[in-house]
Amino acid sequence: MDEMIEYVPIVESPCISVCVMDAESGWCIGCGRTLDEICRWGETDQTDRDTVMEELPARMERLEGKPI
């Protein structure tokens, strides 16, 4: 029976469950990702996720203080 269990890895995500998109930049004000990045997050490779993760601090800094 144990051989029927499939291991599904947990994918690290920057999501904080504040899913509101900034109209000007197209970035989520909660995590900084675009809709395309959010949609493909679980299906993309680690290199792509790492590239996006590196960009997020600068995006979030640009979003800081913007009205919703």
Side-chain angles (χ1 to χ4, degrees), residues 7-68:
Y7 173 72
V8 179
I10 296 173
V11 176
E12 178 187 4
S13 172
C15 182
I16 61 167
S17 298
V18 177
C19 305
V20 177
M21 303 309 288
D22 176 66
E24 184 179 321
S25 66
W27 300 329
C28 173
I29 66 165
C31 69
R33 295 178 294 169
T34 65
L35 282 175
D36 180 58
E37 291 164 344
I38 292 167
C39 290
R40 73 172 190 257
W41 198 256
E43 303 297 320
T44 192
D45 61 35
Q46 189 63 47
T47 302
D48 184 36
R49 287 191 297 267
D50 289 344
T51 299
V52 173
M53 290 292 283
E54 289 175 13
E55 296 174 8
L56 296 182
R59 292 180 187 181
M60 294 305 292
E61 188 173 314
R62 288 183 56 194
L63 288 173
E64 190 173 306
K66 288 185 78 174
I68 297 176

